[in-house]
Amino acid sequence: MTAKYIIKDTFKITGRGLVLAGHIDEGTIYIGDYIEFNAFDKRRKRKITGIEGIRKANPDKTNTGLLIACVDESEIDELRTWRPDNEVGVIFEE
């Protein structure tokens, strides 16, 4: 494990894919790392293809969006309806 990421929300960016919105709880995240998280009672491992700052005020943590590579459009549509409720994602290199 190289980092922990707290997932607060998800959203779709047309033409780019799915973004996990939240904050880095511990460690450092790089493009090309992988994130593992549970969604709909299923463990998923996805590659991080982009990292963006999110413009929403949070005095305690820096909000960060992780663009992830999904299997297909149906997975993007499924995950954008997911409400993670502070799910902890584990980041690692492969």
Side-chain angles (χ1 to χ4, degrees):
M1 178 189 81
T2 61
K4 285 201 302 193
Y5 181 77
I6 306 300
I7 305 168
K8 300 271 193 184
D9 201 2
T10 64
F11 58 92
K12 179 180 178 177
I13 299 178
T14 304
R16 291 197 65 203
L18 186 81
V19 174
L20 303 177
H23 65 269
I24 301 167
D25 192 51
E26 163 185 324
T28 305
I29 298 174
Y30 297 98
I31 293 172
D33 286 350
Y34 286 80
I35 184 168
E36 274 192 355
F37 58 95
N38 289 315
F40 301 115
D41 297 322
K42 184 176 176 184
R43 192 80 179 151
R44 298 170 196 249
K45 176 180 143 187
R46 299 294 176 263
K47 187 173 187 174
I48 298 169
T49 59
I51 302 171
E52 303 280 333
I54 298 174
R55 289 183 239 153
K56 190 173 182 183
N58 182 342
D60 301 325
K61 303 285 181 185
T62 301
N63 291 317
T64 306
L66 302 181
L67 182 64
I68 61 169
C70 290
V71 175
D72 55 25
E73 278 294 317
S74 66
E75 183 182 46
I76 292 172
D77 291 338
E78 175 190 17
L79 287 175
R80 74 179 231 207
T81 65
W82 173 50
R83 294 297 159 239
D85 193 31
N86 297 320
E87 170 70 26
V88 176
V90 177
I91 312 293
F92 59 95
E93 298 174 44
E94 188 160 85

